[in-house]
Amino acid sequence: MQRYWLLFAQAVTVALALYFVVAALQPEWLQRAPTQVGVGVPGRAVPVLQGASVPASGSYREAAGRAMPAVVNILTSKASRDTHPLLKDPFFRRFFGDRMPPDEQLASLGSGVIVSTEGYILTNNHVVEGADIIEVGLADGRKAPAQVVGTDPETDLAVIRIAARNLPVMVLGDPEAARVGDVVLAIGNPFGVGQTVTLGIISALGRNNLHINHFENFIQTDAAINFGNSGGALVDTQGQLLGINSAIYSQTGGSVGIGFAIPVTTAKTVLESIIKHGQVVRGWIGIESQDITPELAESFGLGRSSGAIIAGVVRGGPADRAGMRPGDILVAVAGKAVANTSDMLKLIAALEPGEKVPLRILRKNRESTLDVTVGKRPRQPSQ
């Protein structure tokens, strides 16, 4: 028995010695073969293949993937308008030779969104304003010349068109369903570096009185928007278009987290009007107004804080012919209440020129109704 125990002890000693030698010289021999990690049906291993795409938690890759193909880069150029006429004279060019300055071409960058398979692209008016040449670069690498279909300086929107086939189109979303705090993506071509996606949230809705455009109803976002993003897309987490990025608030020229986009509801109205008429047609009655402030309400003894005080009436205009006078308070347009001057402007602009609509006014604390035949709003210059 003692002999067997001695043999067992010697065998164990040799085995341990071999183990330590192998562990020191060839440790990989002791590693276990890798096992397949499975996901899916319980009790059944489904191997994860190397290189397979596994969506990360919190990723917005699918939204970006849907929206990015329909966002384009816009390159515009125009000849300098400041060149002295004499410098274009052939005699002076021959006389001065190489010392003559070349015709200066001013180039700028922007973005746009394809909204129709027929090649219609929404962008900002300030992106294409005054351009002699417009070139559109698609996300798939194609380039195409573009023509301006129409512009609307009052909303800073423009529609251009390219002749190309198999165009990706952005799906229009519903800004009315958007809420403060919703995640959004801004897609554009900042500083010409190439198509870029930035992430943020909706910071505010219905921003106005910013004195950027005549008609303001901005979506405010903290998604980074920089030079070159103008005309690009603000999309939701489904990759649907919520707005056209238009402006930023900045004291440095770079993004500080306060950007503004024009809601797609406004953009769609402008798009349809431009395609149909070549321009945006709006109602007009020829008045100037101001908001009712607590001070004005107290001064005039008004019992209300909503509505718009008529500060001026265009002589011979629709409101003048209907009997409206300075000092009247406009409280409703075609049965819709007027909360302030911004409301009033939008309600009147939405009216069809030529139609007769009732305007309810307050004059010396007495309400009355005036029937006004709506005129066509004169085209306003760019701000």
Side-chain angles (χ1 to χ4, degrees), residues 53-59 61-62:
S53 176
V54 180
S57 176
S59 173
R61 66 178 69 173
E62 292 186 1

Side-chain angles (χ1 to χ4, degrees), residues 276-277 281-284 347-357 373-376:
K276 183 177 180 180
H277 303 289
V281 178
R282 295 187 173 95
W284 176 79
L347 289 172
I348 293 175
L351 299 175
E352 195 73 27
E355 72 173 313
K356 182 174 287 188
V357 298
T373 300
V374 181
K376 181 180 176 181

Side-chain angles (χ1 to χ4, degrees), residues 154 214-215 280 282-284 345 349 353 375-380:
E154 293 192 288
H214 289 285
F215 294 94
V280 179
R282 295 187 173 95
W284 176 79
L345 193 62
K376 181 180 176 181
R377 181 177 174 83
R379 187 172 175 85
Q380 303 295 313

Side-chain angles (χ1 to χ4, degrees), residues 34-52:
T35 57
Q36 291 180 329
V37 179
V39 293
V41 181
R44 180 180 176 184
V46 180
V48 178
L49 302 178
Q50 186 175 2

Side-chain angles (χ1 to χ4, degrees), residues 184-377:
V184 288
L185 306 176
I187 308 174
N189 180 25
F191 299 108
V193 301
Q195 194 174 74
T196 302
V197 180
T198 56
L199 174 71
I201 63 170
I202 293 176
S203 305
L205 295 166
R207 285 288 193 223
N208 54 34
N209 292 323
L210 301 175
H211 307 293
I212 298 174
N213 303 332
H214 289 285
F215 294 94
E216 297 181 336
N217 181 30
F218 290 113
I219 301 171
Q220 182 181 327
T221 179
D222 66 348
I225 298 174
N226 289 289
F227 174 77
N229 272 110
S230 291
L234 187 73
V235 304
D236 60 20
T237 54
Q238 302 301 313
Q240 298 180 350
L241 185 66
L242 289 181
I244 301 296
N245 296 323
S246 181
I248 61 172
Y249 175 82
S250 174
Q251 296 176 324
T252 63
S255 174
V256 294
I258 304 177
F260 302 101
I262 302 166
V264 71
T265 45
T266 300
K268 183 181 178 184
T269 300
V270 170
L271 172 70
E272 292 172 347
S273 185
I274 285 178
I275 292 176
K276 183 177 180 180
H277 303 289
Q279 61 179 335
V280 179
V281 178
R282 295 187 173 95
W284 176 79
I285 62 173
I287 58 174
E288 294 181 1
S289 65
Q290 64 183 94
D291 287 333
I292 297 177
T293 64
E295 292 77 17
L296 284 174
E298 183 179 355
S299 175
F300 285 94
L302 303 177
R304 61 187 304 127
S305 58
S306 62
I309 296 179
I310 306 303
V313 180
V314 176
R315 182 172 296 179
D320 182 44
R321 293 195 299 269
M324 189 171 288
R325 299 290 178 262
D328 291 346
I329 298 175
L330 184 58
V331 296
V333 174
K336 297 180 180 178
V338 173
N340 47 44
T341 55
S342 179
D343 259 6
M344 181 206 73
L345 193 62
K346 293 172 188 174
L347 289 172
I348 293 175
L351 299 175
E352 195 73 27
E355 72 173 313
K356 182 174 287 188
V357 298
L359 304 183
R360 196 163 78 248
I361 65 168
L362 188 65
R363 181 181 295 173
K364 296 181 179 179
N365 290 324
R366 296 184 61 183
E367 284 196 6
S368 60
T369 300
L370 303 176
D371 291 326
V372 178
T373 300
V374 181
K376 181 180 176 181
R377 181 177 174 83

Side-chain angles (χ1 to χ4, degrees), residues 72-76 114 119 121 133-147 160-165 167:
V72 301
N73 298 335
I74 298 177
L75 176 65
T76 65
I114 303 173
I121 297 172
I133 300 173
I134 304 174
E135 184 180 62
V136 171
L138 278 68
D140 61 11
R142 288 183 290 170
K143 293 184 178 180
Q147 301 294 326
I160 62 176
R161 191 178 188 183
I162 59 174
R165 296 182 177 180
L167 293 174

